[in-house]
């Protein structure tokens, strides 16, 4: 997100501080200024954190928007807490606003924020960007307060989503709620800062961490996966795909290594604890069945690693395996492309259900539910000739250089201004 902030204008960043504090009244924001950005943050109470953040945002909206109705645990009390926390955010934010501010709200935790601000008399342009997918109405209507939530979302002047598919789904819902102007919902795919990421990768490549990883591989190929430990990322299915590679293409035994970086996230939510246990078991089983005394097929890290080291690891890896079951965008796919050596780039295996797939269609696209398709794509990637890797990479690289974090922010804000003018005129 930092890459999207402009240095030539004053910006107020407002949000949860990540802390929990018992309180009876609205909190006072803590202010902290760095350059042109002032960070105003507030704590949540433990009850707000549970109902608003863990349960409604991450236990209901997250699975719903990732098409996983079976994982959605709805309780009306959590919905009410979600609304109340959004109102509390609005009450604490409103006094900090200046009349000519443009407000840009991010992600599913804050869907009703514009309406709450409007109720307090805020008339500034307000835009919203959803980082995760938006499902069709036939699915979204399973949420008990679906229409109330969509009705609140009409208070935004502009809503941005990652892909055309999300835009169509959301527009279908907004139209049913009485929105009449389709230009208020736009597909605006997010990007990275490819130039600085590529530099970081080049610098890290000669650093001690990458050297140690390289030495441990003894000139044999490396597959890398990098994901928050989340059920939307398709980790279990991916490990089963890798297992199919080992079963069907035994020539890779004792040669290929798959390094999966999966920092634990939302560890306090039950589904995430269960997932972690399941992955531990699957990886243990596969390693137990295929490992040799001098070869471990899967290396698995649940602790985060430094960003620059990660960039260097991407550059070293021959293949990136990015197979979410659903993903708003997936920045790992774009980072992998940015980190490659143009003279000897690696190959990207990408789920066709990731938001990045329409842009990155020169990757080896797979259905993440099909273990054999993952195995075939991995084999193809591991045996692909350099000329073909270069041909594909050049196209992928121009895609990620076209839509960057900076251009994404500029395009969205331009569209927000246009949309505000249209509704005023
Ligand atoms: C949401 C949407 C959308 C991962 N492990 C480490 C680490 N990471 C970094 C990656 C990447 C980021 O985290 C993950 O971004 P993704 O886009 O892959 O996924 P979400 O976190 O689910 O993000 C997603 C995104 O919002 C943006 O709109 O693309 O669809 O779900 O940057 O590099 N970074 C470090 N150590 C790690 O171990 N330093």
């Amino acid at each position: 997100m930092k890459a999207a902030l402009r240095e030539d204008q004053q910006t107020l960043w407002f949000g949860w501080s990540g802390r929990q504090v018992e309180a009876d009244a609205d909190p006072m924001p803590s202010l902290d200024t760095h350059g042109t950005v002032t960070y105003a943050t507030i704590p949540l109470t433990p009850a707000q954190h549970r109902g608003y953040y863990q349960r409604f945002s991450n236990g209901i909206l997250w699975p719903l928007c990732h098409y996983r109705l079976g994982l959605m645990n709805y309780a009306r009390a959590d919905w009410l807490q979600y609304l109340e926390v959004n109102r509390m955010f609005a009450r604490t934010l409103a006094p900090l606003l200046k009349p000519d501010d443009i407000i840009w709200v991010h992600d599913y935790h804050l869907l009703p924020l514009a309406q709450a601000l409007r109720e307090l008399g805020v008339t500034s342009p307000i835009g919203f960007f959803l980082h995760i997918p938006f499902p069709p109405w036939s699915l979204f209507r399973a949420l008990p307060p679906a229409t109330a939530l969509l009705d609140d979302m009409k208070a935004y002047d502009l809503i941005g989503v990652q892909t055309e598919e999300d835009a169509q789904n959301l527009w279908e819902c907004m139209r049913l709620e009485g929105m009449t102007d389709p230009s208020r919902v736009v597909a605006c795919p997010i990007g990275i800062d490819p130039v600085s990421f590529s530099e970081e990768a080049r610098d890290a490549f000669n650093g001690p961490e990458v050297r140690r990883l390289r030495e441990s591989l003894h000139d044999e190929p490396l597959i890398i996966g990098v994901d928050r430990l989340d059920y939307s990322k398709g980790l279990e299915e991916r490990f089963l795909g890798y297992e199919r590679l080992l079963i069907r293409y035994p020539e890779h035994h004792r040669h290929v290594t798959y390094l999966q970086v999966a920092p634990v996230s939302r560890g306090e939510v039950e589904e995430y604890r269960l997932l972690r246990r399941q992955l531990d078991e699957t990886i243990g089983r596969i390693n137990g069945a295929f490992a040799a005394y001098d070869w471990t097929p899967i290396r698995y890290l649940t602790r985060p690693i430094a960003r620059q080291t990660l960039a260097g690891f991407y550059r070293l890896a021959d293949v990136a395996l990015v197979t979410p079951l659903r993903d708003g965008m997936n920045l790992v796919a774009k980072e992998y492309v940015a980190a490659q050596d143009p003279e000897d780039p690696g190959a990207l295996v990408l789920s066709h259900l990731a938001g990045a797939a329409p842009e990155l269609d020169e990757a080896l696209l797979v259905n993440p539910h099909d273990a054999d398709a993952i195995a075939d794509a991995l084999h193809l990637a591991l045996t692909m000739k350099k000329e073909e890797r270069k041909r594909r990479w050049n196209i992928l690289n121009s895609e990620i250089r076209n839509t960057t974090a900076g251009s994404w922010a500029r395009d969205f804000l331009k569209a927000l201004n246009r949309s505000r003018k249209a509704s005023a005129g």
Side-chain angles (χ1 to χ4, degrees), residues 159-322:
I159 305 180
V161 287
Q162 302 270 25
T163 66
E164 287 298 338
E165 185 184 4
D166 300 322
Q168 273 169 23
N169 290 342
L170 179 59
W171 171 244
E172 182 195 13
C173 292
M174 297 311 291
R175 197 170 46 89
L176 288 171
E177 268 315 297
M179 203 184 248
T180 51
D181 178 3
S183 68
R184 285 173 65 193
V185 173
V186 288
C188 195
I190 195 169
I192 59 167
D193 183 347
V195 174
S196 75
F197 202 83
S198 152
E199 279 163 13
E200 277 188 66
R202 236 177 310 142
D203 291 347
F205 195 72
N206 298 315
E209 293 86 3
V210 177
R211 192 174 331 116
R212 281 177 57 195
L213 175 58
R214 190 188 312 118
E215 283 167 7
S216 76
L217 297 169
H218 305 289
D219 284 327
E220 297 288 1
L222 175 68
I223 299 171
I224 194 165
V226 177
D227 309 77
R228 273 187 311 99
L229 213 164
D230 192 295
Y231 51 77
S232 66
K233 303 294 182 183
L235 289 163
E236 171 74 9
E237 290 77 1
R238 192 182 308 175
F239 290 128
L240 299 181
Y242 181 67
E243 181 182 33
R244 292 298 294 161
L245 174 82
L246 299 178
I247 293 170
R248 290 185 37 224
Y249 300 95
E251 61 267 43
H252 297 297
H253 286 202
R254 306 178 78 127
H255 295 294
V256 71
T257 294
Y258 168 21
L259 170 65
Q260 176 65 51
V261 180
V264 173
S265 92
R266 305 177 193 165
E268 62 294 338
V269 179
E270 177 65 9
E271 270 73 27
Y272 288 75
R273 277 203 297 267
L274 291 175
L275 172 69
R276 191 170 174 195
R277 217 173 306 146
Q278 183 189 8
L279 295 177
D280 285 348
E281 191 185 314
T282 303
I283 293 161
R285 183 176 61 71
I286 296 173
N287 275 342
F290 292 94
Y293 59 82
D294 57 353
W295 172 59
T296 309
I298 306 177
R299 298 185 193 175
Y300 179 54
L301 278 69
T302 55
R303 265 178 301 177
I305 55 180
R307 179 184 150 91
Q308 204 182 12
T309 308
L310 194 63
F313 285 2
Y314 284 140
R315 194 175 175 95
L316 180 66
D318 301 273
V319 180
L321 189 50
V322 185

Side-chain angles (χ1 to χ4, degrees), residues 23-68:
D24 300 326
D26 287 354
M28 282 295 292
S30 320
L31 300 176
D32 190 11
T33 301
H34 292 271
T36 53
V37 184
T38 298
Y39 296 87
T41 56
I42 53 169
L44 293 175
T45 67
Q48 289 171 335
H49 180 255
R50 208 167 33 251
Y52 156 76
Y53 183 74
Q54 288 186 345
R55 294 200 183 143
F56 197 80
S57 299
N58 289 330
I60 297 172
L61 290 177
W62 179 272
L64 174 67
C65 289
H66 287 88
Y67 296 63
R68 301 292 289 275

